[in-house]
Amino acid sequence: MTKLKYDVVVVGARVGGSTSALFASKSDVDVLMLEKRQEIGSPVQCAEGVTYNTFETLKIKPNEKYIRSKIKGANIHAPDGRCINYEGGVAEGLVLDRKVFDKELASEAAKSGSDIMVKTAVKDLIIKDHKVCGVIAKHLGETIEVKADVVIAADGIESNMARMAGLKTIQSPQQICSCAQYEMVGVDVDPNYLEFYFGENVAPKGYVWIFPKGDGVANVGVGIRSPGKTPLYYLDKFVSKLDATPVELNIGGVPVSGPIEKTYTDGLLVVGDAAGHVDPITGGGIHPTITCARIAGEVAAESVKNEDCSSNYLKNYEKLWKKEVGKGLSQSAKYRKMADKLSDKDMNSLAEFIENQDIESISKIAALKFVGKNPNLMKLLTEIL
């Protein structure tokens, strides 16, 4: 058996893993990142949209080689067909080519000093005296043992690293959004606007999205949280109305219940989908994951330098990421629970109200008049405003 020793081992080389490795390496510790697939970035596992804040967090400039379109806003389609246009703000950003972006981010980590091993599946944790101190993995058929002071689990929604370390990560089917997405050619949409469609017949307890990638190419997907028919059923139903051709299909799940109860233990940190670092109402995870992963890399490096990788020291990671994104994720989870109770009629009424208002300056009088006619929307509108 091959035996290796590193300060920090990162399991998973998507945005969470690569960001953790990048910032740990920048702090001048020895880092090894392991990826179970033979190619970083494939298959694509999201709609590929990001805000500009993502690159500010990474401290890198967006590169044209992975930018597919620049987004100015979004069109939100109510069940009755009413369309609300939203300009700028959180809807402004970029649609990326994640196959290129993820690999570039991993390359940045490598340039900063991280070692990377692809086609390497972690099979077990090394635990001694209740502390995680490395991993056992299979690399091209060979078993390897990698000792480490800190392990960062960035191994996605199917993560078993945190579970092996004794952390509670199991989510119920109701806490997972089931998703299906086609990349399609010949989609007739404005290349600078995202499209979102809501309704029980379109996507029960979820929505359909179209993220344009330029030249008539777009990601068309659906996410649902409802027993019965599959997301692919709703996706095929939706795209049957489009004069477009699919060239790629991806199916997966997104955790939308908020972060797991605890994201650290002795010798281990958890980031990304594995930690529930996903916006519960939108299902978007790139920005919160990158924010948390950067903190994980920095805290892991600090713990190595201070020769203290105990749970008591590593809890700083959770304290810091909660300060950065914890409030937003909690608030979003609350909104999602409220939105779950809305009927198509409620959504149509809300869309009609918003359509006739300046969204940035809705008056309290107008809101009171609206909720007076729609009392079941009072709590949601009160929280938002």
Side-chain angles (χ1 to χ4, degrees), residues 75-149:
N75 294 314
I76 302 168
H77 302 263
D80 64 1
R82 193 183 306 271
C83 180
I84 306 299
N85 175 259
Y86 184 79
E87 296 281 340
V90 295
E92 188 175 25
L94 303 167
V95 175
L96 307 178
D97 183 335
R98 281 286 303 273
K99 290 177 183 176
V100 179
F101 173 71
D102 285 21
K103 197 174 292 185
E104 283 293 309
L105 191 53
S107 296
E108 288 295 319
K111 290 174 185 176
S112 293
S114 294
D115 288 339
I116 299 173
M117 294 176 70
V118 295
K119 200 66 174 175
T120 307
V122 174
K123 299 299 183 181
D124 204 355
L125 291 174
I126 301 170
I127 300 177
K128 185 176 181 180
D129 297 328
H130 307 291
K131 178 190 179 297
V132 175
C133 50
V135 300
I136 302 293
K138 278 276 189 180
H139 173 64
L140 298 175
E142 179 188 5
T143 298
I144 61 172
E145 177 184 281
V146 187
K147 293 286 186 67
D149 297 304

Side-chain angles (χ1 to χ4, degrees), residues 2 31 56 72 122 156 164 178 200 212 239 262 266 317 330 350:
T2 300
V31 179
E56 293 174 11
K72 298 177 182 178
V122 174
M164 288 178 185
S178 298
E200 282 297 307
V239 302
K262 188 182 177 187
D266 293 299
Y317 160 62
S330 296
L350 188 59

